[in-house]
Every structure is written in C-alpha cells, then in structure tokens.
Amino acid sequence: MNTERDSETTFEEDSQPNDEVVPYSDDETEDELEDQESTVEPEQNRANREAEENREPFRKECTWQVKANDRKYHEQPHFMNTKFLCIKESKYANNAIKTYKYNAFTFLPVSLFEQFKRAANMYFLVLLILQSVPEISTLAWYTTLVPLLLVLGITAIKDLVDDVARHKMDKEVNNRTCEVIKDGRFKIAKWKDIQVGDVIRLKKNDFVPADILLLSSSEPNSLCYVETAELDGETNLKFKMALEITDQYLQREDTLATFDGFIECEEPNNRLDKFTGTLFWRKRSFPLDADKILLRGCVIRNTDVCHGLVIFAGADTKIMKNSGKTRFKRTKIDYLMNYMVYTIFVVLILVSAGLAIGHAYWEAQVGNYSWYLYDGEDATPSYRGFLNFWGYIIVLNTMVPISLYVSVEVIRLGQSHFINWDLQMYYAEKDTPAKARTTTLNEQLGQIHYIFSDKTGTLTQNIMTFKKCCINGQIYGDHRDASQHNHNKIEQVDFSWNKFADGKFAFYDHYLIEQIQSGKEREVQQFFFLLAVCHTVMVDRNDGQLNYQAASPDEGALVNAARNFGFVFLTRTQNTITISELGTERTYNVLAILDFNSDRKRMSIIIRTPEGNIRLYCKGADTVIYERLCQMNPTKQETQDALDIFASETLRTLCLCYKEIEEKEFAEWNKKFMAASVASTNRDEALDKVYEEIEKDLILLGATAIEDKLQDGVPETISKLGKADIKIWVLTGDKKETAENIGFACELLTEDTTICYGEDINSLLHTRMENQRNRGGVYAKFAPPVPEPFFPSGGNRALIITGSWLNEILLEKKTKRSKILNLKFPRTEEERRMRTQSKRRLEAKKEQRQKNFVDLACECSAVICCRVTPKQKAMVVDLVKRYKKAITLAIGDGANDVNMIKISSFSSSIYTKNIPTLSSSTGVSCMTCTHWCWDKWTRRNASRHVE
C-alpha cells in the first residue's frame, strides 16, 4: 500500500471538491492533523479504538462554563492555568485589551532590539566598542556615540509617538463605561473592570464591551438592533432576539441581580457567525445560538435599553480572536539599505585588511627608524598590523552611511503628510481626506504589483435592488404595459394604490401589477407572500413609516419588493408574523424557522394559517432547491432558463418554493426538532439533519433576480491599473456564479477572456508535476531552472477557483481529523528514518505544487478566488509574496479581511475606533469613504484608499 499518498491529504479518494461550499472554518485548519499510521492497524490500537467507541461520549464541544453574577465561581483552582513557573492566572481573561507594542519596562530593550536589526546600527555599536580600546582607537569614542544616539533617539521617538497613540486608543476603549450589576444594583463601571459572568445594561448608541448573551431589552419580545460595521463592514442593522423565558422574567433590576443562570458553551474562537451553547436555569435547558449573542464591536441602535450576560471578555472575544498576529513589515528600501551596508562593510574589511598587511610589511622591512614614528614600544610587526586593522576600521567608518537611515525616515514622514494634504485624494461627498496610518511603508505605493481585494462592500456597494423575477415560468421585469406589449418608452409603475409603498422603488413591468391585482394567477400572489413571510427582517415604525432592518441587503431588497407589490410585512413576535395582503391584515403563527447558513444555502419557515393549514416556505440557491423539488414541477425547465438569463445579466438569484404539511407529519417532526435544538454536542449537524427531513418534495414557485451595484468608477479604475501592469485578484466568500458575474460587471473579465476553472488548472498542475518528476534525477538540482509557460503566448486568460479546489490543488487539509486515542508505540530506527524521509518528500511536493500554482495564476490577467475563508485569503497573499517576491496590496472592509491585510506588504483597511487592531493596520485609509480616487495616484501606480 502506498502510505505516502494516503497521508498527503484528507480528501476522499473518489470525491471531488464542492464549488458551492466554504471548505472549512478557520479554527479547524489551525489544528494539525495526526500523522497517518500504516494501513495495517496494530492490534493494540484496534482494541483501544473499540473501547473508546463504546465509551459514553464526552461533551468536548461545550467546555466553557459561565455562571451569572458569581465572580468567585470563575476563580476556582480548576479554572487556573500556569502561566510561568508557579505564576497562575485564570483562563477567563479580563476585559482590558492591549494592542500596544511597548510599556514603560519593555520600550527601551524592545526598541533597541528592533533598531539593531539594522546592519548600520549594529556596525556603529561595534565601532563604539572598538573606540573604547586605547590601543586601537584613533578617534574619541564620543565622536561615534553622539551620531549613534541621535539616530537611535530619532527612530525611538517616532516609534514612541506611534505607540503612545496606540496606548491612548487602548486607554480610551478600556476606560469606557457601562452599567454593571454590583451589590444587587446597577453601578457605573469601566470596561476594563468587567468580568465573565457580569450582567450589564447598555443603552442606545452604546458600544458592546464584550461578547454577551442578550437577556432582555426594552423592545417587544426583547429584540435588539445592532450595527456590525466594525465586524463585517456592513452598515445595515441586524437584529438579535433574547430567549422567551429571559424576556419574561429578566426585565427589572432586582430580577437581573438575582439571576443565577449557568451557561455551557464553546471555547473562545474566531467564528463570528457561529455560537453553540446551552443555558441552564429554573431546572430547564435552553439552546443558545449566534442570534442571541451580541459581539464586542457592535453598536446598539434603535433600542433604548438592553441587558446582557458577559460570556467572553477581552482577548477571548471573537473580534480579538480575529485580529491575528501583528507583523512587522519592512519595505524593499529597508532590505536594499541593509544589503548596501553589508556590501560596504565587506569592502571596508577588505580595505582595512590590505592596509593592515601593508603596515605589518612596512614594520618588518623598515621598522621605526624615524623618530617621529617611534612609539617607545617593542611590539612585533604582526601584532602592530593586527592593532592597525582595527584602527583602520575606525578611521574609515565614514564609508558606512549612518545618516542614510535618518534621511529616509525624514522623507517618509514628509510623504505621509503629503498624502494627508493631497486634495486629489479628498472625498468631498463625505468630507473625508486620505490618511496615511503609517510612516514606514509609503514608498511602496508606487511599487505594487498585485492587488488583493474583497468583493462585497469593496468592489460593490452592497446595495441590492429588486430587478426581475420569474413566476410559474413567466419572466417579469421588462418594460411592458398591462397588455404585455413591450415599449421603448420607459414609464415607472405607479404604486400610489399601495399606502405602504416605498417611493424610491422603481419597477417598469405594468403587466405584473395587473396579474397581482386581478388575482387570476394564484402563484403570483403566493410568490410575493413568500417574500413577505420567509425572512428574518425586523420592522421599525417612525411617524407611521415602515423601516425594515435586514441582516443582509439581499433579504431587505426582497422584503421591500414584496411590500411595494402589496404584500407588506408589518410586525412579528416570537411566535407570530403579521402581513398586509393587498390591504387585508392577517396574522400567522410561526411554528419553526429553519435558519440559513453557508452549508444549507437556503432558509425555510413553517407557519400555521388562520384557517389551520400548515405550510413550509423556502428560498435558497437554485442548486440546493432543485435537489429537493418533487417530481411534478412543470415549470422547472422554464425557471432554469430564466435563471441562466438572470445570471448573464450579472443579477443575483434565489429560488422560491413551498409545500403543504399534514398535522401528524409536523407533530412527529417537531419532536425531533426540539430535541436537536437543545443538543449539547454537534447541534448544527443535528439540526441540519432534522431540516433535511422536512425540506423535501417542494413545489417550485419561481426565482428572484436582484442587482448588486458596483462602486463608482470600478471599471475605469481596473482599466487604469491594468495599463500600469498591476494585476487584480478578487478574494471573496461569495459563490462562483456571483463572483464571475461581478467579474464581468467590473470588466475584470471580458467576452474575449478565456476562463480557467479549478478542474482545468488541477489537470495542468498534475501534468507539470509529472514532467518535473520525470526530469528529476541526481543532477537535476544542479541544472538551471528553465521557465516553462503553462499557456501559449497571446490571449487573455483569467482564473476562477473555489476554496475547495484551492485546498485540493495546494494539498491543504480539508478538515480536522477526530482524535480517538493517540498512543505512541516504539519504532525501529529504520522506521523513523523512513517516516522522516516520507514527510520531507510530502513537504517538498506540497511546496513545488504551490509554486507551480502561483506561476500558473500569475500568467492570468485576473484571478478570482470564491468561497474562500479568511485564512485562505491570507494564504493566497502569502504564496504570492513568498514565490514572486512582489509588493502586494490587500483591500478589505471587515474583520474577515484582517488576516489578509496583515500578511500583505501594504494594506488598505477600514478605519474604526473600536477595533484598535484594525485601525492600526498599516496602509492608507479613510474613515468612511467608499469612493475610488485616482486622478493622481493611479498615474504613479498607487492603490485605492477605501472606507
């Protein structure tokens, strides 16, 4: 058996990567896979495995324990971890955050350590030591000490100023105040004093100080609206909803002070959209998910008061887990100056050695016959030559340009001010100038070769508009009158008959309005009823006007469209939803909501009508909906044709369907649903399995098509960047079809572009690896590498690859292997040697495969990576930096882009006051600007500054 091949990857042999799914979560890829053993399992291992399988499962997923209003509980000995020697600290972090580099004790040593990484500084330190030796010193020691201290002092002061700004930012954040339950009542406390288990009260427009469980709020059903712009870059509000029991019993101060709930949940991690936990209270257990958690960095909006229980604090919060490690970035000029200093230093040594040898020869041949050269010492010529070698090193120290570093720092400081003062980089609409957030990387703006950009909110405005739809096989949305006749004259539909209509909504197909009002097509009314009922949107009434707050712009656009066509979502409670159907208000009981996630790619709701009927309504991606339709769906092909038309017009699509459910069928399913909802382990998997049982035999209604508008000037900017020989790589979590459509919309892809997909480049790379293996041999490593293009010259090519194919191609791990029992058995020396060699071969193969992939991708004019995770974004940037030695720019607008931003040579990031790790990212940024400014910087190969 070929065990080497078996241990390469964790993919199944016969399976192909799935283009539709995000391959894994970030935390799973950080765990190393266990080394694969021989295919012949030892008998002892088999016995241990069987014993482990028969053992009662242990709940490893929920190991984080929180007790409300009990700080002493979290200080128990079994919660203490050894930090250093006998020093112990609690595993529960306090809520103070630290993003600064230095403190009063570490500033001097750490700053000096960083500065002496520069070759010139180290040289002059050695020179200073030599000048303190009287036998070899020809100059006073202070002649070197003064300029050295000047250089070190200027650089240290600059670093200190930057770090003081970080200290101020940290202090500002840590000293913010909120109300915390202490001694039975709410008292004002600083953020840094908050601890896990505290019950806090937040008010409108307050920042959330930690990751908290929402207990109650002043809104009906304890809803809470939050703005998550500092987490994901989205400005639309999202809503959270407390448990029904905490909403009922935890509204007053006295009940909150006596709250003694106990929570078991997952350990701190960086998954912003996932949370699994269970609340134990009043001898009952209640499931917790991400919809009940308020994350640090959010802002409370449209909610007067809300109460929460701190689950994760400080460094354990999800936003800090996403911050990644701060990397010290150096420019090419820094490396060039170090190289120059090394070269000068070698020349200096050679010159000094030559002069010392000449001096020794002079002493041996001539001696000190001249009285003015005689020093009164009888030393050997070789010893005199040795001393004079060091003397020449001192005398010729001016060959090493210590002032060069000072000059460069002054120039960089001036450049950063010129960026801040540049009127052509000013965005007048939002009164936002450009801002250089670092003084060390500015010269790299004109050296960028590759730009890595997020899509949603960066290339696009993340503003969705309902454009077209397909109902019962009929496409609606073209310019037609009520008689289905197309007209060149564009006339908007008049929605004055609908008192709830949104005046900003524009639609041009009058025939659809005729169909809705006539009621002849039942499917048309069902279509818009589904849009009005199947969602997680919340409504806010101001002066009689309806304002929808949606978790995603897509959902908001669909609900708003239904509102304009007469099916108006009015209000919801925990168990009901009220809809105005062409002027008639009806209330429906909500029996279950089957949530959307990236794996399911669909959302469903089960309701009971006033007549007592039970229906399931579902909307989702066409790939998953079509798999779950019943056999008798006469409009499947017509709808598929419409989807193809919408995709060609770069519109985002969703399919809509429904089914009738019998009372008995629902009762049996509901028991399974409730059991899965409170599962303490693998809850998501259990719920998905239950959802699958009910989401089948669906009846297709049609499809929606909405437009995601591009940022202003995107095509023109990309065209200019192409002329500057800058390549654009788009890294996004969206599905392949959407990413490809946006590529065409922003003219990154054109009709003349030959597109290569994952399966295409996988075969090309496989062929290249075979050829390289065949050419390999004893003398292969001595032969100069011959550049071989993957594609014939000429033609415009682009690469579109999904996260799953990226893992397959780069031989990355797909998922974390479950650890059953890991016992180490003694091996012979030969087995150890063979195992080591096998690992080395696999690592060499992986490295070669990655290098080939980068070479292939760089031959393409554009690269789009879709369905990728934040960690994969950073990996792609790192590969290009490593193998191409190129200056890279990463552009992002959310916490999921932080890893990519930090690993890039240069970055452009969102400015935020509540996420110091983001706001201190290196690069040029603006505070809220979403404009593409190019008048001046594009001509100099500069990059975009973003919001």
Side-chain angles (χ1 to χ4, degrees), residues 489-764:
K489 181 181 178 181
I490 299 176
E491 183 178 348
Q492 289 189 17
V493 172
D494 182 14
F495 290 104
S496 58
W497 55 273
N498 183 359
K499 66 177 181 179
F500 294 107
D502 180 9
K504 299 178 182 179
F505 183 77
F507 200 74
Y508 302 94
D509 193 344
H510 296 260
Y511 179 63
L512 178 57
I513 301 297
E514 174 69 20
Q515 291 291 87
I516 293 174
Q517 293 179 337
S518 66
K520 296 178 181 178
E521 294 285 343
R522 181 175 176 271
E523 288 80 3
V524 173
Q525 294 190 353
Q526 279 281 78
F527 182 92
F528 287 103
F529 174 79
L530 189 154
L531 294 181
V533 75
C534 184
H535 55 78
T536 58
V537 174
M538 299 305 299
V539 64
D540 181 28
R541 289 178 178 264
N542 288 325
D543 299 329
Q545 297 295 321
L546 298 178
N547 295 318
Y548 290 143
Q549 306 294 342
S552 69
D554 306 64
E555 205 166 46
L558 295 177
V559 176
N560 192 56
R563 161 190 179 178
N564 283 274
F565 289 113
F567 291 81
V568 187
F569 164 57
L570 296 178
T571 185
R572 79 187 320 144
T573 67
Q574 295 230 2
N575 301 314
T576 64
I577 185 169
T578 302
I579 308 294
S580 172
E581 303 175 26
L582 299 176
T584 304
E585 289 192 16
R586 289 166 61 90
T587 299
Y588 299 86
N589 291 327
V590 178
L591 303 180
I593 296 179
L594 286 57
D595 296 325
F596 173 91
N597 60 45
S598 58
D599 294 328
R600 285 169 38 77
K601 297 189 291 296
R602 62 190 182 278
M603 176 203 172
S604 300
I605 185 172
I606 302 177
I607 63 171
R608 188 189 300 274
T609 66
E611 294 79 18
N613 299 323
I614 300 177
R615 290 197 188 103
L616 178 145
Y617 292 96
C618 179
K619 66 180 181 182
D622 56 335
T623 53
V624 296
I625 295 298
Y626 269 60
E627 294 174 355
R628 291 160 177 81
L629 297 177
C630 65
Q631 296 297 324
M632 299 302 294
N633 265 287
T635 61
K636 285 177 63 174
Q637 187 56 48
E638 290 84 350
T639 305
Q640 183 60 55
D641 295 338
L643 289 169
D644 295 337
I645 294 174
F646 297 155
S648 66
E649 298 175 3
T650 70
L651 301 176
R652 298 163 65 101
T653 60
L654 284 177
C655 286
L656 310 184
C657 54
Y658 75 101
K659 69 176 291 189
E660 301 280 349
I661 303 177
E662 297 292 335
E663 188 74 38
K664 182 179 179 182
E665 179 187 0
F666 174 76
E668 295 176 354
W669 176 86
N670 193 45
K671 293 178 181 178
K672 300 177 183 178
F673 172 68
M674 297 304 297
S677 298
V678 296
S680 57
T681 59
N682 300 322
R683 180 181 299 170
D684 291 340
E685 291 81 356
L687 284 172
D688 287 348
K689 185 177 180 180
V690 174
Y691 293 165
E692 287 285 349
E693 295 182 10
I694 200 71
E695 292 174 325
K696 58 184 180 181
D697 297 330
L698 304 175
I699 300 173
L700 183 64
L701 277 175
T704 62
I706 57 179
E707 178 187 22
D708 188 1
K709 295 184 179 180
L710 291 174
Q711 297 276 10
D712 296 334
V714 171
E716 295 82 359
T717 300
I718 290 178
S719 175
K720 291 181 180 180
L721 290 172
K723 293 177 181 178
D725 198 25
I726 297 177
K727 296 184 177 180
I728 310 292
W729 291 32
V730 177
L731 311 178
T732 178
D734 281 341
K735 63 180 182 179
K736 183 170 65 175
E737 293 80 5
T738 303
E740 184 173 341
N741 292 339
I742 291 297
F744 280 106
C746 66
E747 298 182 10
L748 193 62
L749 307 176
T750 63
E751 295 297 331
D752 299 330
T753 303
T754 302
I755 300 177
C756 301
Y757 297 98
E759 52 271 26
D760 303 323
I761 66 171
N762 188 45
S763 59
L764 286 173

Side-chain angles (χ1 to χ4, degrees), residues 214-225:
L214 180 62
L215 298 177
S216 61
S217 78
S218 57
E219 296 296 307
N221 302 293
S222 284
L223 294 174
C224 181
Y225 300 96

